[in-house]
């Protein structure tokens, strides 16, 4: 069951959270922790202090980030079977591929190979004074290619994580090498923009070297057993879905999240089927979002109003209302319509999870 709480003021969301935590404390065991998911450390500190002020004490509270919460849920649900690959694991896997000379020899990886080699000086160009020793592990770095490997691995780990969150069809297409998602409009960006063909080719090759069958993560499973899994695979693994649905998971409060990727919307729906999930989210609009006109509705209303009023001559003036001198046809809240678009879509998607019961 999913309970939604909306407000355009974080303070009001905190009041709702304090009421729910107080009610939970009255029926739960004293040593049972309160599970909270917050977007960042600043929000964690603010919520902890706010709850202490409102409730008198804020103890035995387990704060986590959204990705960590999902990973811990998988660990608890399927111990020794699945392990979510975090950002550090992904970065280490990419770095291992970038340090593998054989992996860089494939045709698709030539742009990456050229980028790394462009930082390597030719023989005789490096003097003794230019050789840099690493104090950490006493390695001799004779050129800048190693630095580029580390930097590229970190950048690609963040990018791949964003793909996992928001482009699940594309990475599934890459993982399965075009099996089930070939016709999906988001599966291959190069079809809509041919200029991206080269970029898509080397990123897909790097992705498959890390995540696909026979990739480096499969060859190097977690130390405590099982296999690595990325977040987007949770909603496709039927065995894992069944175990999550039947697991005994505690009530969870997700607080202060103003926008989440589509993947997390799907995970919320999965968790809300059999478990209690309270979501306290910011809504940039003080009113109900559906009361704000869309661009299409505004244009249709404007056309109808102009046609109706153009047929009627204003009494005694001979002027029509086609020029709208007083701005009477302006759409409501234009700032919300244009600047609040991500928040509006987030609220609409959350509303679908509960049939707009909030």
């Amino acid at each position: 069951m999913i309970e939604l709480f909306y407000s355009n003021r974080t303070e009001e969301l905190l009041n709702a959270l304090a009421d729910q935590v107080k009610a939970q404390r009255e029926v739960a065991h004293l040593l049972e922790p309160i599970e909270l998911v917050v977007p960042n450390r600043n929000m964690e500190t603010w919520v902890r202090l706010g709850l202490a002020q409102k409730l008198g004490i804020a103890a035995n509270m387990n704060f986590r980030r959204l990705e960590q919460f999902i990973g811990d849920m998988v660990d608890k649900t399927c111990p020794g079977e699945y392990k979510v690959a975090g950002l550090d694991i992904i970065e280490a896997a990419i770095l291992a591929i970038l340090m593998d000379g054989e992996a860089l020899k494939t045709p698709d990886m030539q742009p990456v190979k050229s980028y790394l080699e462009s930082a390597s000086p030719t023989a005789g160009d490096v003097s003794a004074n230019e050789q840099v020793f690493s104090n950490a592990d006493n390695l001799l770095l004779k050129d800048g290619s190693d630095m580029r490997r580390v930097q590229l691995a970190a950048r690609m780990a963040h990018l791949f994580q964003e793909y996992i969150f928001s482009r699940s069809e594309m990475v599934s297409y890459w993982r399965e090498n075009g099996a089930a998602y070939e016709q999906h409009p988001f599966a291959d960006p190069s079809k809509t923009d041919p200029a991206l063909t080269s970029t898509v080719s080397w990123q897909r090759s790097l992705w498959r070297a890390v995540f696909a069958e026979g990739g480096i993560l499969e060859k190097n499973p977690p130390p405590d057993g099982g296999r690595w899994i990325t977040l987007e695979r949770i909603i496709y693994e039927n065995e894992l879905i069944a175990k999550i649905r039947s697991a005994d998971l505690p009530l969870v409060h997700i607080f202060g999240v103003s926008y989440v990727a589509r993947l997390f919307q799907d995970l919320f729906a999965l968790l809300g089927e059999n478990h209690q999930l309270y979501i306290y989210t910011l809504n940039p609009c003080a009113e109900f979002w559906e009361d704000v006109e869309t661009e299409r509705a505004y244009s249709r209303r404007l056309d109808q109003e102009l046609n109706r009023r153009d047929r009627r001559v204003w009494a005694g003036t001979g002027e029509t209302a086609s020029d709208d001198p007083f701005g009477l046809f302006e759409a409501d809240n234009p700032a919300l319509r244009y600047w609040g678009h991500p928040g509006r879509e987030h609220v609409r998607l959350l509303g679908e999870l509960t049939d707009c019961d909030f």
Side-chain angles (χ1 to χ4, degrees):
M1 180 186 68
I2 298 178
E3 293 282 349
L4 289 179
F5 298 85
Y6 289 143
S7 179
N8 65 327
R9 299 181 68 247
T10 314
E11 295 81 1
E12 295 299 327
L13 291 178
L14 184 62
N15 291 334
L17 174 63
D19 292 340
Q20 295 300 322
V21 169
K22 181 179 180 180
Q24 184 179 351
R25 286 292 195 200
E26 291 176 351
V27 298
H29 191 276
L30 181 63
L31 298 181
E32 180 179 333
I34 302 294
E35 301 290 342
L36 296 110
V37 176
V38 291
N40 52 57
R41 189 173 296 276
N42 291 335
M43 182 65 75
E44 174 185 338
T45 302
W46 185 80
V47 169
R48 191 186 298 274
L49 293 175
L51 289 178
Q53 184 179 29
K54 295 178 181 300
L55 302 178
I57 186 172
N60 200 15
M61 293 186 174
N62 188 12
F63 284 89
R64 286 173 291 180
R65 309 297 173 262
L66 195 51
E67 302 93 312
Q68 182 186 0
F69 161 67
I70 300 297
D72 292 345
M73 179 194 67
V74 172
D75 290 342
K76 181 177 180 180
T77 304
C78 305
E81 297 182 44
Y82 298 96
K83 184 76 172 180
V84 174
L87 191 64
D88 54 342
I89 297 297
I90 297 175
E91 182 176 345
I94 294 174
L95 183 58
I97 298 298
L98 297 180
M99 296 180 67
D100 185 351
E102 294 298 321
L104 296 177
K105 289 181 180 179
T106 61
D108 289 340
M109 292 293 287
Q110 289 308 301
V112 179
K113 186 173 183 290
S114 299
Y115 169 74
L116 296 176
E117 290 180 346
S118 65
S120 303
T122 58
D125 288 345
V126 181
S127 65
N129 292 332
E130 292 173 325
Q131 295 176 351
V132 181
F133 286 90
S134 171
N135 295 327
D137 47 10
N138 202 29
L139 293 177
L140 178 63
L141 305 179
K142 295 183 178 180
D143 53 55
S145 61
D146 287 337
M147 179 67 74
R148 287 197 173 187
R149 284 185 175 89
V150 174
Q151 292 174 338
L152 183 60
R155 184 68 177 268
M156 292 309 302
H158 282 278
L159 185 61
F160 281 173
Q161 189 180 59
E162 291 299 318
Y163 288 165
I164 290 170
F165 292 166
S166 304
R167 296 289 183 267
S168 60
E169 296 86 4
M170 184 179 72
V171 297
S172 296
Y173 173 71
W174 289 357
R175 185 193 305 273
E176 301 172 14
N177 204 18
Y181 297 89
E182 187 173 3
Q183 302 303 321
H184 197 281
F186 299 150
D188 189 356
S190 61
K191 290 184 178 180
T192 56
D193 187 355
L196 298 175
T197 301
S198 176
T199 302
V200 170
S201 296
W202 72 258
Q203 288 191 11
R204 178 175 58 227
S205 181
L206 181 59
W207 174 275
R208 289 185 55 78
V210 174
F211 299 102
E213 184 177 354
I216 190 170
L217 289 184
E218 185 178 283
K219 296 177 181 177
N220 298 270
D224 52 353
R227 63 187 179 93
W228 295 110
I229 188 173
T230 49
L231 286 178
E232 98 284 354
R233 296 307 302 169
I234 295 177
I235 58 178
Y236 298 114
E237 295 282 347
N238 294 329
E239 180 183 357
L240 180 55
I241 290 175
K243 291 185 176 182
I244 291 175
R245 285 172 174 165
S246 60
D248 182 19
L249 299 177
L251 185 154
V252 178
H253 304 271
I254 300 178
F255 184 87
V257 178
S258 57
Y259 183 81
V260 295
R262 184 161 49 93
L263 170 66
F264 293 109
Q265 302 275 358
D266 296 335
L267 292 175
F268 290 164
L270 173 61
L271 289 174
E273 291 179 3
N274 298 319
H275 308 293
Q276 284 189 304
L277 194 66
Y278 286 11
I279 303 177
Y280 311 80
T281 187
L282 286 170
N283 183 349
C285 181
E287 306 298 333
F288 185 49
W289 264 112
E290 299 306 321
D291 292 338
V292 180
E293 283 186 307
T294 63
E295 186 71 28
R296 180 178 299 180
Y298 165 60
S299 298
R300 183 168 57 250
R301 180 178 64 81
L302 182 61
D303 291 340
Q304 293 174 350
E305 186 71 10
L306 286 175
N307 290 336
R308 182 181 66 82
R309 298 182 68 178
D310 279 342
R311 290 194 299 266
R312 179 171 61 85
V313 178
W314 287 7
T317 65
E319 297 179 354
T320 67
S322 59
D323 54 354
D324 189 26
F326 302 107
L328 299 177
F329 300 154
E330 285 291 329
D332 295 337
N333 302 307
L336 285 174
R337 288 197 295 116
Y338 291 107
W339 296 339
H341 181 73
R344 179 178 191 175
E345 293 304 312
H346 173 65
V347 169
R348 177 169 293 177
L349 289 171
L350 286 180
E352 291 179 358
L353 299 179
T354 61
D355 294 329
C356 293
D357 181 14
F358 60 92

